[in-house]
Amino acid sequence: MTSPRTASPSSNEEKFGELREKLGDAFVSQKEVDTGAELAAGYVGELDPAEALRIRRKIDKHIMPLMCSKFQILYFRQTRRDTQRSNPIQSPLLFMDKTTLGSAAILGIRSDSSDYKPIQLVIGFTLQQLPSRSIKTSNRLGTIFYLSYLAFEFPQNLCLQKFPVAKWMSLNITIWAIALCAHAACKNFAGLFVVRLILGACEGSITAGFMIVTSMFYTRNEQTVRVGYWFLMNGTAQIIAGFISFGTLHIRTSSFEPWQWLMIITGILTLLTALAFWFLFPDSPTTAWFLTMDERAKAIRRIKENQTGVENKQFKKEQMVEALLDPKTWLFALFSALDNVPNSLTNQRQIIVASFGFTVLQTTLLSCVDGIIEIVTIWVGVTIASRIPNSRAYVGTIFMIPNLLGVFLINFLPWSNKVGLLFSEWLTGVGTTGFVLALSWLSSVTAGHTKKVTVNAIMLSAYCIGNAAGPFMWQAQYKPRNHVPWIIIGVCYLACMFLLLLLRFIMDKENKRRDTETRDTTYDEVYIERASSDGSSIEKVRVDKEFLDLTDIQNRDFRYVL
């Protein structure tokens, strides 16, 4: 095995021209192929499994802490080591930032925004004693975050393709942190409206960036577990947020209320995390600072089985068109929208629990249970899906059954049974596993970098639409039991279960159809130009099909994982 040569020609156009003439249609520009093509082309043969495992552990060590933290620098570490994995798992702040309004709502922001009293409630759920005007205001604030997220989602994905991924995310996290601290200075609806608008715009880069980075560094089976790891940290954030909220209740200052301290504390932590992202988070395996040149090439060869490559910085219009015409794109989008209509619960669980009759202190501490449920259920779900081949749709569907049970119980249990209602509300958090599996599944079944960016943008835009629509279910006329909103939530979960199974059926059918096709040899002999080791001449290098930046439809050897 020889190490790849990475020098690129900078002159001698005549030699380039001669090479093009010799290669004809089989010659392609380096801009057309994957960024990892040149590194991967330098190796022959299979990568040693033990070496592949060593490199994966090194990657885990350097990127999972920041991915799992979702932008926080103050963290705890929980490492599980065995023969299969070594993954640092740390606690997040980004999700906690989004849920601080739910905490702030019960810490006093409802009454402290004196300029406009309907700010008494900040997001979509309503305490029964609040007037309808407050509900309308809270709906607007709950929706603006996701409308801003929606408006900036596609531009953010284009920037993630054009610019270094880590640096772009770090810039967005910095702006996010400043806007979060600025919440503490808001005295009216207009102030809160602006800062939530900014948060939504920055948020558009985060999940999309994580999905891209995960697909760059990990195999398709590993992606399922890794997406689960950094997503389940949302549950850890709920736990930490609960304790921070509890702590801020005991802060007594003349100029700042507890909810203002909550915003400042989380904003400072997020700013520190932005710095960590700038200096420590890699943009791709081809430039990862913690890997040697030899290890970078091996890291790229390790993900060859994905048939999706690393990335390509050139926007390809034909791939975007293919994404728009691909039926599974819109099925994933519909799933994302419907699954997130009930997500109005996420930011309001504390207010919901308070409406059951619990005190502020009890509500704050009980919110930690939501985080524990999310951690456990997501971890169990992705572990099962990674160990049982082609089980993503089945596992996601099964984990949504408790959600339906929770919806049923909340509708029919006596309102006086606050413990039963509390456990029913906890049950509705189990199905988050289905959305996590869908995120990792989407990355695994989409190839072609522009197509992947487009599909990610569409799915996350649908996520915004669902979240933006959700708060408007909770209207004053439905109080106190809110039967209509809960019925809508139940219907959404049923539809999501059907969509997961439908996606599996469609892709399984396509796999079987490709198995019967005559093998396509169109892309078997494709070459790029590269300088020789001494830089004195130009040589042609064959590029494996997996690194040609082909889409899953163009590459007929591509098989969809189920």
Side-chain angles (χ1 to χ4, degrees), residues 245-493:
S245 298
F246 180 79
T248 56
L249 278 171
H250 297 83
I251 297 177
R252 294 288 182 265
T253 57
S254 58
S255 56
F256 270 36
E257 295 295 327
W259 69 268
Q260 291 173 306
W261 281 114
L262 177 66
M263 295 298 181
I264 291 174
I265 291 169
T266 53
I268 291 173
L269 293 176
T270 304
L271 185 59
L272 292 174
T273 306
L275 293 174
F277 258 73
W278 182 272
F279 292 106
L280 300 177
F281 200 69
D283 294 307
S284 84
T286 63
T287 58
W289 62 270
F290 54 85
L291 298 176
T292 65
M293 290 302 298
D294 182 65
E295 289 173 334
R296 292 176 189 178
K298 290 176 180 177
I300 293 168
R301 295 289 296 181
R302 203 180 70 83
I303 63 168
K304 180 180 177 181
E305 68 181 67
N306 294 354
Q307 301 188 64
T308 58
V310 179
E311 66 175 340
N312 184 284
K313 292 299 184 182
Q314 183 175 352
F315 181 81
K316 299 179 179 179
K317 182 179 178 181
E318 66 276 10
Q319 288 195 11
M320 183 186 74
V321 172
E322 181 180 307
L324 295 174
L325 297 177
D326 191 338
K328 72 177 186 294
T329 298
W330 300 105
L331 289 175
F332 272 112
L334 181 59
F335 170 86
S336 181
L338 293 176
D339 191 61
N340 283 284
V341 169
N343 205 38
S344 56
L345 296 171
T346 303
N347 292 333
Q348 293 304 306
R349 292 190 185 276
Q350 288 177 300
I351 302 174
I352 297 169
V353 173
S355 72
F356 292 158
F358 293 95
T359 68
V360 172
L361 289 177
Q362 290 171 335
T363 299
T364 302
L365 294 177
L366 284 172
S367 67
C368 298
V369 178
D370 294 296
I372 294 172
I373 291 172
E374 186 166 347
I375 292 170
V376 173
T377 55
I378 292 177
W379 184 84
V380 171
V382 298
T383 301
I384 293 173
S386 66
R387 294 185 179 181
I388 302 177
N390 296 322
S391 63
R392 290 165 177 80
Y394 296 144
V395 174
T397 300
I398 291 172
F399 271 74
M400 285 187 176
I401 294 175
N403 289 46
L404 293 176
L405 178 59
V407 169
F408 178 86
L409 292 175
I410 286 176
N411 271 287
F412 293 103
L413 282 176
W415 192 246
S416 59
N417 187 356
K418 66 178 183 179
V419 174
L421 290 170
L422 178 64
F423 274 85
S424 302
E425 190 273 334
W426 284 339
L427 277 177
T428 62
V430 175
T432 306
T433 303
F435 184 70
V436 174
L437 290 173
L439 278 181
S440 63
W441 196 12
L442 180 68
S443 296
S444 301
V445 297
T446 307
H449 199 70
T450 301
K451 181 177 181 179
K452 185 178 295 184
V453 165
T454 305
V455 170
N456 286 350
I458 292 172
M459 184 172 184
L460 292 174
S461 295
Y463 161 88
C464 296
I465 292 171
N467 277 288
F472 290 96
M473 297 186 300
W474 309 96
Q475 301 294 328
Q477 63 264 35
Y478 302 139
K479 296 189 300 183
R481 296 305 301 263
N482 292 301
H483 287 300
V484 171
W486 283 111
I487 290 172
I488 293 173
I489 288 175
V491 171
C492 286
Y493 286 138

Side-chain angles (χ1 to χ4, degrees), residues 70-72 94 97 156 165-183 195 198-199 201-203 205-206 263-264 266-279:
K70 271 196 171 179
F71 317 135
Q72 58 88 34
L94 179 62
D97 294 346
Q156 285 279 20
V165 175
K167 301 301 184 291
W168 183 253
M169 286 197 295
S170 178
L171 176 62
N172 278 273
I173 300 166
T174 301
I175 298 172
W176 174 289
I178 295 170
L180 190 65
C181 290
H183 276 69
V195 291
I198 294 172
L199 291 187
C202 295
E203 168 78 356
S205 69
I206 307 308
M263 295 298 181
I264 291 174
T266 53
I268 291 173
L269 293 176
T270 304
L271 185 59
L272 292 174
T273 306
L275 293 174
F277 258 73
W278 182 272
F279 292 106

Side-chain angles (χ1 to χ4, degrees), residues 10 117 177 242:
S10 59
K117 285 296 183 180

